[in-house]
Amino acid sequence: LKLQTMNLDEPLDVIPPERCDHPLWPEVERVTMDQLYYARLEVEDTPSSGGGNWELFAQDGELRLYKRELEIDGLVCDPLKAVHTVKGVTAHEVCHQFFSPDVRFDWENTLDSMKVVENINPNTLVFHQIHKRVWPAAQRDTVFWSHIRKIDADTLRTKCHPNSTGKKLPYNVWIVCNNSVDRPDVDRGGCLRMRLVVSMCCEMTIDPPVDDDAQITRDHLRCRIIYCSKINPGGWAPASVLRALYKREYPKFMKRFSQYCIDVYKDKPIML
Ligand code: 16C
């Protein structure tokens, strides 16, 4: 039985991904695990392990945003890492809202249009998005696969944090990974095609701890959101406009999206 024909009501975390025979699947596996590792490296970790060299550019309460300046062929491609801690929501809930096409327009304000162009399996979709035009640059579009998964405790212990063994393990971790895919068949409609690698990694802790999951209420939930992005604008865009734009827009996005998740779930049963 192929995943494409499976019941969409099946909980996402019990779908064995290795059963997928889509040609993109090995890339989905590899990039998602790489992004999980990259996201969970602390900003102070050494450059040789993939961390370090981050420059704090915005801070507001628990929210911190870091950038690295990078230009490729004269285009600004600065990697971004944003870290936020929010209360009252689970890692699963936050990732579900970030992944689900049904609610994309409820929190995403960079879009003119969004379409699911392929359904790889219930936890992996291919999106085509046309973003709002930013003057004076040309309008951009993106085509990317988006994958959501729960990271089990064994994977966390053995693969994810070889250099921070003393650290308390989260109750669970969920990740959504978005990665550009070559799809010349998807009409650009006159846009320049941007390339991106984006991840939202959520680590959840129960604070204070409980003896039994049945005792968990929303007051116990702490969700650490690590949002990473690497975007190549794909063609001419003035560096100063681009840097001013992301410095203003990423903090707004992190605050808007996390508040949106809190509001959606505040009176709903907990989705662990
Ligand atoms: O991750 C986010 N959303 C996901 C679901 O939609 C998905 C999409 C990511 C693409 C976001 C890029 C939007 C750019 C719009 C216009 C670019 C015009 C360039 C010309 C400017 C002179 O993963 C949440 C996304 C939150 C976005 C915050 C706003 C960022 C603005 C700057 C983006 C360009 C960075 C380029 C490299 C430094």
PDB file of all heavy atoms in Angstrom, residues 76-78 98 104 107-108 110 129 131-132 134 137 140 144 178 194 196 198 227 231 237-238 241-242 245-246 249-250 253, ligand 1:
ATOM      1  N   VAL A  76      22.070  39.203  -1.792  1.00  0.00           N
ATOM      2  CA  VAL A  76      22.004  39.000  -0.345  1.00  0.00           C
ATOM      3  C   VAL A  76      21.248  37.706  -0.058  1.00  0.00           C
ATOM      4  O   VAL A  76      20.106  37.526  -0.503  1.00  0.00           O
ATOM      5  CB  VAL A  76      21.265  40.183   0.332  1.00  0.00           C
ATOM      6  CG1 VAL A  76      20.988  39.891   1.796  1.00  0.00           C
ATOM      7  CG2 VAL A  76      22.075  41.458   0.201  1.00  0.00           C
ATOM      8  N   CYS A  77      21.907  36.779   0.657  1.00  0.00           N
ATOM      9  CA  CYS A  77      21.289  35.490   0.988  1.00  0.00           C
ATOM     10  C   CYS A  77      21.451  35.213   2.484  1.00  0.00           C
ATOM     11  O   CYS A  77      21.635  34.054   2.892  1.00  0.00           O
ATOM     12  CB  CYS A  77      21.955  34.353   0.209  1.00  0.00           C
ATOM     13  SG  CYS A  77      21.789  34.474  -1.569  1.00  0.00           S
ATOM     14  N   ASP A  78      21.434  36.237   3.320  1.00  0.00           N
ATOM     15  CA  ASP A  78      21.755  36.092   4.745  1.00  0.00           C
ATOM     16  C   ASP A  78      20.948  34.986   5.436  1.00  0.00           C
ATOM     17  O   ASP A  78      19.710  35.074   5.484  1.00  0.00           O
ATOM     18  CB  ASP A  78      21.468  37.410   5.497  1.00  0.00           C
ATOM     19  CG  ASP A  78      22.286  38.578   4.968  1.00  0.00           C
ATOM     20  OD1 ASP A  78      23.093  38.382   4.045  1.00  0.00           O
ATOM     21  OD2 ASP A  78      22.104  39.693   5.491  1.00  0.00           O
ATOM     22  N   PHE A  98       1.958  25.525  11.059  1.00  0.00           N
ATOM     23  CA  PHE A  98       2.949  25.985  10.081  1.00  0.00           C
ATOM     24  C   PHE A  98       2.877  25.157   8.790  1.00  0.00           C
ATOM     25  O   PHE A  98       3.102  25.667   7.696  1.00  0.00           O
ATOM     26  CB  PHE A  98       4.360  25.917  10.680  1.00  0.00           C
ATOM     27  CG  PHE A  98       5.413  26.572   9.826  1.00  0.00           C
ATOM     28  CD1 PHE A  98       5.423  27.948   9.637  1.00  0.00           C
ATOM     29  CD2 PHE A  98       6.402  25.818   9.211  1.00  0.00           C
ATOM     30  CE1 PHE A  98       6.387  28.562   8.843  1.00  0.00           C
ATOM     31  CE2 PHE A  98       7.377  26.413   8.413  1.00  0.00           C
ATOM     32  CZ  PHE A  98       7.366  27.792   8.237  1.00  0.00           C
ATOM     33  N   ARG A 104      -2.901  28.501   6.033  1.00  0.00           N
ATOM     34  CA  ARG A 104      -1.737  29.311   5.624  1.00  0.00           C
ATOM     35  C   ARG A 104      -2.068  30.811   5.590  1.00  0.00           C
ATOM     36  O   ARG A 104      -1.303  31.641   6.069  1.00  0.00           O
ATOM     37  CB  ARG A 104      -1.237  28.805   4.261  1.00  0.00           C
ATOM     38  CG  ARG A 104      -0.026  29.472   3.634  1.00  0.00           C
ATOM     39  CD  ARG A 104       1.308  29.089   4.222  1.00  0.00           C
ATOM     40  NE  ARG A 104       1.478  27.742   4.679  1.00  0.00           N
ATOM     41  CZ  ARG A 104       2.097  26.769   4.023  1.00  0.00           C
ATOM     42  NH1 ARG A 104       2.585  26.993   2.824  1.00  0.00           N
ATOM     43  NH2 ARG A 104       2.229  25.568   4.571  1.00  0.00           N
ATOM     44  N   TRP A 107      -2.117  33.221   8.859  1.00  0.00           N
ATOM     45  CA  TRP A 107      -0.949  33.811   9.537  1.00  0.00           C
ATOM     46  C   TRP A 107       0.119  34.326   8.586  1.00  0.00           C
ATOM     47  O   TRP A 107       0.967  35.118   8.980  1.00  0.00           O
ATOM     48  CB  TRP A 107      -0.332  32.797  10.506  1.00  0.00           C
ATOM     49  CG  TRP A 107       0.120  31.517   9.842  1.00  0.00           C
ATOM     50  CD1 TRP A 107      -0.600  30.356   9.765  1.00  0.00           C
ATOM     51  CD2 TRP A 107       1.352  31.281   9.147  1.00  0.00           C
ATOM     52  NE1 TRP A 107       0.110  29.414   9.055  1.00  0.00           N
ATOM     53  CE2 TRP A 107       1.317  29.951   8.675  1.00  0.00           C
ATOM     54  CE3 TRP A 107       2.482  32.054   8.892  1.00  0.00           C
ATOM     55  CZ2 TRP A 107       2.357  29.384   7.951  1.00  0.00           C
ATOM     56  CZ3 TRP A 107       3.537  31.486   8.161  1.00  0.00           C
ATOM     57  CH2 TRP A 107       3.458  30.169   7.710  1.00  0.00           C
ATOM     58  N   GLU A 108       0.125  33.850   7.328  1.00  0.00           N
ATOM     59  CA  GLU A 108       1.198  34.197   6.383  1.00  0.00           C
ATOM     60  C   GLU A 108       0.778  35.431   5.594  1.00  0.00           C
ATOM     61  O   GLU A 108      -0.229  35.381   4.876  1.00  0.00           O
ATOM     62  CB  GLU A 108       1.443  32.999   5.464  1.00  0.00           C
ATOM     63  CG  GLU A 108       2.377  33.211   4.284  1.00  0.00           C
ATOM     64  CD  GLU A 108       3.805  33.491   4.662  1.00  0.00           C
ATOM     65  OE1 GLU A 108       4.092  34.667   4.942  1.00  0.00           O
ATOM     66  OE2 GLU A 108       4.628  32.550   4.661  1.00  0.00           O
ATOM     67  N   THR A 110       2.836  37.197   3.395  1.00  0.00           N
ATOM     68  CA  THR A 110       3.703  37.534   2.250  1.00  0.00           C
ATOM     69  C   THR A 110       3.089  37.042   0.935  1.00  0.00           C
ATOM     70  O   THR A 110       3.727  37.137  -0.101  1.00  0.00           O
ATOM     71  CB  THR A 110       5.111  36.905   2.392  1.00  0.00           C
ATOM     72  OG1 THR A 110       5.013  35.479   2.155  1.00  0.00           O
ATOM     73  CG2 THR A 110       5.737  37.149   3.758  1.00  0.00           C
ATOM     74  N   GLN A 129       3.929  28.967  -4.330  1.00  0.00           N
ATOM     75  CA  GLN A 129       3.454  30.204  -3.708  1.00  0.00           C
ATOM     76  C   GLN A 129       3.923  31.411  -4.533  1.00  0.00           C
ATOM     77  O   GLN A 129       5.078  31.455  -4.969  1.00  0.00           O
ATOM     78  CB  GLN A 129       3.996  30.333  -2.279  1.00  0.00           C
ATOM     79  CG  GLN A 129       3.544  29.205  -1.364  1.00  0.00           C
ATOM     80  CD  GLN A 129       3.726  29.470   0.125  1.00  0.00           C
ATOM     81  OE1 GLN A 129       2.957  28.972   0.916  1.00  0.00           O
ATOM     82  NE2 GLN A 129       4.723  30.233   0.504  1.00  0.00           N
ATOM     83  N   HIS A 131       4.523  35.306  -4.009  1.00  0.00           N
ATOM     84  CA  HIS A 131       4.650  36.255  -2.898  1.00  0.00           C
ATOM     85  C   HIS A 131       4.302  37.668  -3.359  1.00  0.00           C
ATOM     86  O   HIS A 131       4.407  37.987  -4.559  1.00  0.00           O
ATOM     87  CB  HIS A 131       6.076  36.184  -2.328  1.00  0.00           C
ATOM     88  CG  HIS A 131       6.371  34.835  -1.749  1.00  0.00           C
ATOM     89  ND1 HIS A 131       6.062  34.501  -0.463  1.00  0.00           N
ATOM     90  CD2 HIS A 131       6.884  33.705  -2.325  1.00  0.00           C
ATOM     91  CE1 HIS A 131       6.391  33.236  -0.255  1.00  0.00           C
ATOM     92  NE2 HIS A 131       6.897  32.725  -1.366  1.00  0.00           N
ATOM     93  N   LYS A 132       3.909  38.489  -2.403  1.00  0.00           N
ATOM     94  CA  LYS A 132       3.580  39.874  -2.721  1.00  0.00           C
ATOM     95  C   LYS A 132       4.811  40.574  -3.284  1.00  0.00           C
ATOM     96  O   LYS A 132       5.932  40.309  -2.834  1.00  0.00           O
ATOM     97  CB  LYS A 132       3.123  40.598  -1.452  1.00  0.00           C
ATOM     98  CG  LYS A 132       1.742  40.183  -0.998  1.00  0.00           C
ATOM     99  CD  LYS A 132       1.362  40.938   0.254  1.00  0.00           C
ATOM    100  CE  LYS A 132       0.005  40.489   0.759  1.00  0.00           C
ATOM    101  NZ  LYS A 132      -0.152  40.714   2.199  1.00  0.00           N
ATOM    102  N   VAL A 134       7.555  43.311  -3.775  1.00  0.00           N
ATOM    103  CA  VAL A 134       8.176  44.355  -2.954  1.00  0.00           C
ATOM    104  C   VAL A 134       8.878  45.325  -3.897  1.00  0.00           C
ATOM    105  O   VAL A 134       9.797  44.941  -4.627  1.00  0.00           O
ATOM    106  CB  VAL A 134       9.193  43.759  -1.948  1.00  0.00           C
ATOM    107  CG1 VAL A 134       9.874  44.864  -1.155  1.00  0.00           C
ATOM    108  CG2 VAL A 134       8.525  42.765  -1.015  1.00  0.00           C
ATOM    109  N   ALA A 137      11.695  45.742  -6.577  1.00  0.00           N
ATOM    110  CA  ALA A 137      12.164  44.472  -7.152  1.00  0.00           C
ATOM    111  C   ALA A 137      11.017  43.767  -7.892  1.00  0.00           C
ATOM    112  O   ALA A 137       9.844  44.091  -7.705  1.00  0.00           O
ATOM    113  CB  ALA A 137      12.695  43.578  -6.038  1.00  0.00           C
ATOM    114  N   ARG A 140       8.285  37.657  -6.722  1.00  0.00           N
ATOM    115  CA  ARG A 140       8.926  36.350  -6.535  1.00  0.00           C
ATOM    116  C   ARG A 140       7.887  35.257  -6.377  1.00  0.00           C
ATOM    117  O   ARG A 140       6.813  35.493  -5.800  1.00  0.00           O
ATOM    118  CB  ARG A 140       9.750  36.362  -5.243  1.00  0.00           C
ATOM    119  CG  ARG A 140      11.229  36.644  -5.374  1.00  0.00           C
ATOM    120  CD  ARG A 140      11.583  37.909  -6.029  1.00  0.00           C
ATOM    121  NE  ARG A 140      13.047  38.064  -6.066  1.00  0.00           N
ATOM    122  CZ  ARG A 140      13.662  39.116  -6.537  1.00  0.00           C
ATOM    123  NH1 ARG A 140      12.979  40.121  -7.048  1.00  0.00           N
ATOM    124  NH2 ARG A 140      14.986  39.177  -6.539  1.00  0.00           N
ATOM    125  N   PHE A 144       8.271  24.489  -3.347  1.00  0.00           N
ATOM    126  CA  PHE A 144       9.042  23.747  -2.346  1.00  0.00           C
ATOM    127  C   PHE A 144       8.229  22.592  -1.781  1.00  0.00           C
ATOM    128  O   PHE A 144       7.001  22.653  -1.729  1.00  0.00           O
ATOM    129  CB  PHE A 144       9.486  24.687  -1.216  1.00  0.00           C
ATOM    130  CG  PHE A 144       8.359  25.396  -0.487  1.00  0.00           C
ATOM    131  CD1 PHE A 144       7.771  24.848   0.647  1.00  0.00           C
ATOM    132  CD2 PHE A 144       7.872  26.621  -0.942  1.00  0.00           C
ATOM    133  CE1 PHE A 144       6.745  25.502   1.310  1.00  0.00           C
ATOM    134  CE2 PHE A 144       6.837  27.281  -0.285  1.00  0.00           C
ATOM    135  CZ  PHE A 144       6.270  26.716   0.849  1.00  0.00           C
ATOM    136  N   ASN A 178      10.887  22.974   4.924  1.00  0.00           N
ATOM    137  CA  ASN A 178      10.506  23.397   3.570  1.00  0.00           C
ATOM    138  C   ASN A 178      11.778  23.510   2.735  1.00  0.00           C
ATOM    139  O   ASN A 178      12.740  24.140   3.181  1.00  0.00           O
ATOM    140  CB  ASN A 178       9.828  24.778   3.590  1.00  0.00           C
ATOM    141  CG  ASN A 178       8.512  24.780   4.367  1.00  0.00           C
ATOM    142  OD1 ASN A 178       7.944  23.731   4.651  1.00  0.00           O
ATOM    143  ND2 ASN A 178       8.031  25.961   4.708  1.00  0.00           N
ATOM    144  N   MET A 194      12.488  32.328  -6.279  1.00  0.00           N
ATOM    145  CA  MET A 194      13.410  32.310  -5.129  1.00  0.00           C
ATOM    146  C   MET A 194      13.660  30.853  -4.747  1.00  0.00           C
ATOM    147  O   MET A 194      12.823  29.987  -4.979  1.00  0.00           O
ATOM    148  CB  MET A 194      12.776  32.970  -3.896  1.00  0.00           C
ATOM    149  CG  MET A 194      12.515  34.436  -4.018  1.00  0.00           C
ATOM    150  SD  MET A 194      12.176  35.174  -2.409  1.00  0.00           S
ATOM    151  CE  MET A 194      10.785  34.272  -1.829  1.00  0.00           C
ATOM    152  N   LEU A 196      14.673  28.432  -1.347  1.00  0.00           N
ATOM    153  CA  LEU A 196      14.674  28.513   0.114  1.00  0.00           C
ATOM    154  C   LEU A 196      14.912  27.158   0.769  1.00  0.00           C
ATOM    155  O   LEU A 196      14.626  26.101   0.198  1.00  0.00           O
ATOM    156  CB  LEU A 196      13.351  29.096   0.623  1.00  0.00           C
ATOM    157  CG  LEU A 196      12.032  28.397   0.263  1.00  0.00           C
ATOM    158  CD1 LEU A 196      11.741  27.236   1.189  1.00  0.00           C
ATOM    159  CD2 LEU A 196      10.888  29.393   0.360  1.00  0.00           C
ATOM    160  N   VAL A 198      13.874  26.289   4.686  1.00  0.00           N
ATOM    161  CA  VAL A 198      13.283  26.866   5.898  1.00  0.00           C
ATOM    162  C   VAL A 198      12.924  25.719   6.832  1.00  0.00           C
ATOM    163  O   VAL A 198      12.455  24.669   6.384  1.00  0.00           O
ATOM    164  CB  VAL A 198      12.010  27.682   5.540  1.00  0.00           C
ATOM    165  CG1 VAL A 198      11.217  28.044   6.781  1.00  0.00           C
ATOM    166  CG2 VAL A 198      12.366  28.952   4.767  1.00  0.00           C
ATOM    167  N   TYR A 227      13.297  28.836  14.384  1.00  0.00           N
ATOM    168  CA  TYR A 227      12.954  29.034  12.972  1.00  0.00           C
ATOM    169  C   TYR A 227      14.233  29.403  12.230  1.00  0.00           C
ATOM    170  O   TYR A 227      14.921  30.351  12.613  1.00  0.00           O
ATOM    171  CB  TYR A 227      11.911  30.149  12.847  1.00  0.00           C
ATOM    172  CG  TYR A 227      11.579  30.521  11.415  1.00  0.00           C
ATOM    173  CD1 TYR A 227      10.594  29.836  10.714  1.00  0.00           C
ATOM    174  CD2 TYR A 227      12.257  31.549  10.762  1.00  0.00           C
ATOM    175  CE1 TYR A 227      10.283  30.168   9.398  1.00  0.00           C
ATOM    176  CE2 TYR A 227      11.962  31.890   9.451  1.00  0.00           C
ATOM    177  CZ  TYR A 227      10.971  31.193   8.775  1.00  0.00           C
ATOM    178  OH  TYR A 227      10.672  31.519   7.471  1.00  0.00           O
ATOM    179  N   ILE A 231      17.407  31.929   2.272  1.00  0.00           N
ATOM    180  CA  ILE A 231      16.646  32.268   1.062  1.00  0.00           C
ATOM    181  C   ILE A 231      17.580  32.925   0.065  1.00  0.00           C
ATOM    182  O   ILE A 231      18.334  33.838   0.405  1.00  0.00           O
ATOM    183  CB  ILE A 231      15.480  33.235   1.398  1.00  0.00           C
ATOM    184  CG1 ILE A 231      14.499  32.566   2.364  1.00  0.00           C
ATOM    185  CG2 ILE A 231      14.758  33.674   0.127  1.00  0.00           C
ATOM    186  CD1 ILE A 231      13.301  33.419   2.743  1.00  0.00           C
ATOM    187  N   ALA A 237      17.872  42.141  -6.465  1.00  0.00           N
ATOM    188  CA  ALA A 237      17.083  42.774  -5.405  1.00  0.00           C
ATOM    189  C   ALA A 237      18.053  43.678  -4.658  1.00  0.00           C
ATOM    190  O   ALA A 237      19.141  43.226  -4.283  1.00  0.00           O
ATOM    191  CB  ALA A 237      16.491  41.736  -4.462  1.00  0.00           C
ATOM    192  N   PRO A 238      17.700  44.936  -4.448  1.00  0.00           N
ATOM    193  CA  PRO A 238      18.654  45.857  -3.802  1.00  0.00           C
ATOM    194  C   PRO A 238      18.966  45.408  -2.382  1.00  0.00           C
ATOM    195  O   PRO A 238      18.054  45.175  -1.569  1.00  0.00           O
ATOM    196  CB  PRO A 238      17.927  47.203  -3.828  1.00  0.00           C
ATOM    197  CG  PRO A 238      16.508  46.920  -4.166  1.00  0.00           C
ATOM    198  CD  PRO A 238      16.436  45.581  -4.796  1.00  0.00           C
ATOM    199  N   VAL A 241      17.460  47.348   0.659  1.00  0.00           N
ATOM    200  CA  VAL A 241      16.006  47.159   0.819  1.00  0.00           C
ATOM    201  C   VAL A 241      15.735  45.779   1.426  1.00  0.00           C
ATOM    202  O   VAL A 241      14.937  45.619   2.346  1.00  0.00           O
ATOM    203  CB  VAL A 241      15.261  47.294  -0.540  1.00  0.00           C
ATOM    204  CG1 VAL A 241      13.760  47.068  -0.370  1.00  0.00           C
ATOM    205  CG2 VAL A 241      15.529  48.645  -1.170  1.00  0.00           C
ATOM    206  N   LEU A 242      16.442  44.776   0.903  1.00  0.00           N
ATOM    207  CA  LEU A 242      16.254  43.397   1.370  1.00  0.00           C
ATOM    208  C   LEU A 242      16.595  43.256   2.858  1.00  0.00           C
ATOM    209  O   LEU A 242      15.828  42.675   3.641  1.00  0.00           O
ATOM    210  CB  LEU A 242      17.163  42.493   0.534  1.00  0.00           C
ATOM    211  CG  LEU A 242      16.774  41.044   0.373  1.00  0.00           C
ATOM    212  CD1 LEU A 242      15.323  40.910  -0.001  1.00  0.00           C
ATOM    213  CD2 LEU A 242      17.648  40.394  -0.687  1.00  0.00           C
ATOM    214  N   LEU A 245      14.110  45.035   4.965  1.00  0.00           N
ATOM    215  CA  LEU A 245      12.837  44.303   4.917  1.00  0.00           C
ATOM    216  C   LEU A 245      12.837  43.123   5.882  1.00  0.00           C
ATOM    217  O   LEU A 245      11.926  42.954   6.694  1.00  0.00           O
ATOM    218  CB  LEU A 245      12.613  43.811   3.478  1.00  0.00           C
ATOM    219  CG  LEU A 245      11.371  42.997   3.193  1.00  0.00           C
ATOM    220  CD1 LEU A 245      10.137  43.907   3.197  1.00  0.00           C
ATOM    221  CD2 LEU A 245      11.470  42.296   1.831  1.00  0.00           C
ATOM    222  N   TYR A 246      13.878  42.292   5.810  1.00  0.00           N
ATOM    223  CA  TYR A 246      13.828  41.103   6.675  1.00  0.00           C
ATOM    224  C   TYR A 246      14.021  41.453   8.147  1.00  0.00           C
ATOM    225  O   TYR A 246      13.452  40.797   9.022  1.00  0.00           O
ATOM    226  CB  TYR A 246      14.735  39.976   6.171  1.00  0.00           C
ATOM    227  CG  TYR A 246      16.210  40.031   6.489  1.00  0.00           C
ATOM    228  CD1 TYR A 246      16.678  39.884   7.786  1.00  0.00           C
ATOM    229  CD2 TYR A 246      17.147  40.143   5.470  1.00  0.00           C
ATOM    230  CE1 TYR A 246      18.040  39.892   8.065  1.00  0.00           C
ATOM    231  CE2 TYR A 246      18.504  40.153   5.726  1.00  0.00           C
ATOM    232  CZ  TYR A 246      18.948  40.029   7.029  1.00  0.00           C
ATOM    233  OH  TYR A 246      20.285  40.034   7.304  1.00  0.00           O
ATOM    234  N   GLU A 249      10.549  42.382   9.060  1.00  0.00           N
ATOM    235  CA  GLU A 249       9.479  41.399   8.854  1.00  0.00           C
ATOM    236  C   GLU A 249       9.643  40.096   9.631  1.00  0.00           C
ATOM    237  O   GLU A 249       8.659  39.498  10.057  1.00  0.00           O
ATOM    238  CB  GLU A 249       9.329  41.084   7.359  1.00  0.00           C
ATOM    239  CG  GLU A 249       8.817  42.267   6.541  1.00  0.00           C
ATOM    240  CD  GLU A 249       7.451  42.776   6.997  1.00  0.00           C
ATOM    241  OE1 GLU A 249       6.611  41.959   7.404  1.00  0.00           O
ATOM    242  OE2 GLU A 249       7.246  44.002   6.966  1.00  0.00           O
ATOM    243  N   TYR A 250      10.876  39.602   9.823  1.00  0.00           N
ATOM    244  CA  TYR A 250      11.017  38.334  10.560  1.00  0.00           C
ATOM    245  C   TYR A 250      10.543  38.455  12.017  1.00  0.00           C
ATOM    246  O   TYR A 250       9.838  37.561  12.495  1.00  0.00           O
ATOM    247  CB  TYR A 250      12.456  37.813  10.491  1.00  0.00           C
ATOM    248  CG  TYR A 250      12.798  37.071   9.217  1.00  0.00           C
ATOM    249  CD1 TYR A 250      13.889  37.443   8.439  1.00  0.00           C
ATOM    250  CD2 TYR A 250      12.045  35.975   8.780  1.00  0.00           C
ATOM    251  CE1 TYR A 250      14.212  36.761   7.263  1.00  0.00           C
ATOM    252  CE2 TYR A 250      12.364  35.295   7.613  1.00  0.00           C
ATOM    253  CZ  TYR A 250      13.449  35.691   6.859  1.00  0.00           C
ATOM    254  OH  TYR A 250      13.763  35.009   5.707  1.00  0.00           O
ATOM    255  N   PHE A 253       6.814  38.414  11.930  1.00  0.00           N
ATOM    256  CA  PHE A 253       6.316  37.062  11.627  1.00  0.00           C
ATOM    257  C   PHE A 253       6.381  36.169  12.867  1.00  0.00           C
ATOM    258  O   PHE A 253       5.408  35.473  13.196  1.00  0.00           O
ATOM    259  CB  PHE A 253       7.119  36.451  10.472  1.00  0.00           C
ATOM    260  CG  PHE A 253       7.135  34.941  10.494  1.00  0.00           C
ATOM    261  CD1 PHE A 253       5.968  34.221  10.280  1.00  0.00           C
ATOM    262  CD2 PHE A 253       8.310  34.241  10.773  1.00  0.00           C
ATOM    263  CE1 PHE A 253       5.974  32.823  10.332  1.00  0.00           C
ATOM    264  CE2 PHE A 253       8.323  32.863  10.839  1.00  0.00           C
ATOM    265  CZ  PHE A 253       7.147  32.143  10.616  1.00  0.00           C
TER     266      PHE A 253
HETATM  267  O1  16C B   1       8.489  30.506   6.494  1.00  0.00           O
HETATM  268  C1  16C B   1       7.519  31.206   6.292  1.00  0.00           C
HETATM  269  N1  16C B   1       6.544  30.837   5.456  1.00  0.00           N
HETATM  270  C2  16C B   1       6.494  29.572   4.791  1.00  0.00           C
HETATM  271  C3  16C B   1       5.124  29.322   4.243  1.00  0.00           C
HETATM  272  O2  16C B   1       4.711  30.334   3.392  1.00  0.00           O
HETATM  273  C4  16C B   1       7.547  29.388   3.718  1.00  0.00           C
HETATM  274  C5  16C B   1       7.825  30.609   2.913  1.00  0.00           C
HETATM  275  C6  16C B   1       8.922  31.314   2.915  1.00  0.00           C
HETATM  276  C7  16C B   1       9.208  32.433   1.983  1.00  0.00           C
HETATM  277  C8  16C B   1       9.189  33.733   2.623  1.00  0.00           C
HETATM  278  C9  16C B   1       9.762  34.813   1.758  1.00  0.00           C
HETATM  279  C10 16C B   1       8.879  35.939   1.517  1.00  0.00           C
HETATM  280  C11 16C B   1       9.532  36.961   0.653  1.00  0.00           C
HETATM  281  C12 16C B   1       8.618  37.861   0.001  1.00  0.00           C
HETATM  282  C13 16C B   1       9.126  38.876  -0.944  1.00  0.00           C
HETATM  283  C14 16C B   1      10.579  38.874  -1.345  1.00  0.00           C
HETATM  284  C15 16C B   1      10.948  40.041  -2.178  1.00  0.00           C
HETATM  285  C16 16C B   1      12.401  40.226  -2.350  1.00  0.00           C
HETATM  286  C17 16C B   1      12.794  41.567  -2.880  1.00  0.00           C
HETATM  287  C18 16C B   1      12.990  42.634  -1.883  1.00  0.00           C
HETATM  288  C19 16C B   1      13.648  43.871  -2.354  1.00  0.00           C
HETATM  289  O3  16C B   1       8.670  28.858   4.303  1.00  0.00           O
HETATM  290  C20 16C B   1       7.372  32.545   7.006  1.00  0.00           C
HETATM  291  C21 16C B   1       8.022  33.586   6.224  1.00  0.00           C
HETATM  292  C22 16C B   1       8.191  34.857   6.967  1.00  0.00           C
HETATM  293  C23 16C B   1       8.790  35.869   6.067  1.00  0.00           C
HETATM  294  C24 16C B   1       9.170  37.136   6.730  1.00  0.00           C
HETATM  295  C25 16C B   1       9.568  38.172   5.744  1.00  0.00           C
HETATM  296  C26 16C B   1      10.915  37.982   5.115  1.00  0.00           C
HETATM  297  C27 16C B   1      11.209  39.034   4.104  1.00  0.00           C
HETATM  298  C28 16C B   1      12.510  38.897   3.406  1.00  0.00           C
HETATM  299  C29 16C B   1      12.696  37.667   2.648  1.00  0.00           C
HETATM  300  C30 16C B   1      13.801  37.675   1.677  1.00  0.00           C
HETATM  301  C31 16C B   1      15.097  37.219   2.264  1.00  0.00           C
HETATM  302  C32 16C B   1      16.133  37.050   1.238  1.00  0.00           C
HETATM  303  C33 16C B   1      17.446  36.602   1.770  1.00  0.00           C
HETATM  304  C34 16C B   1      18.062  37.367   2.811  1.00  0.00           C
END
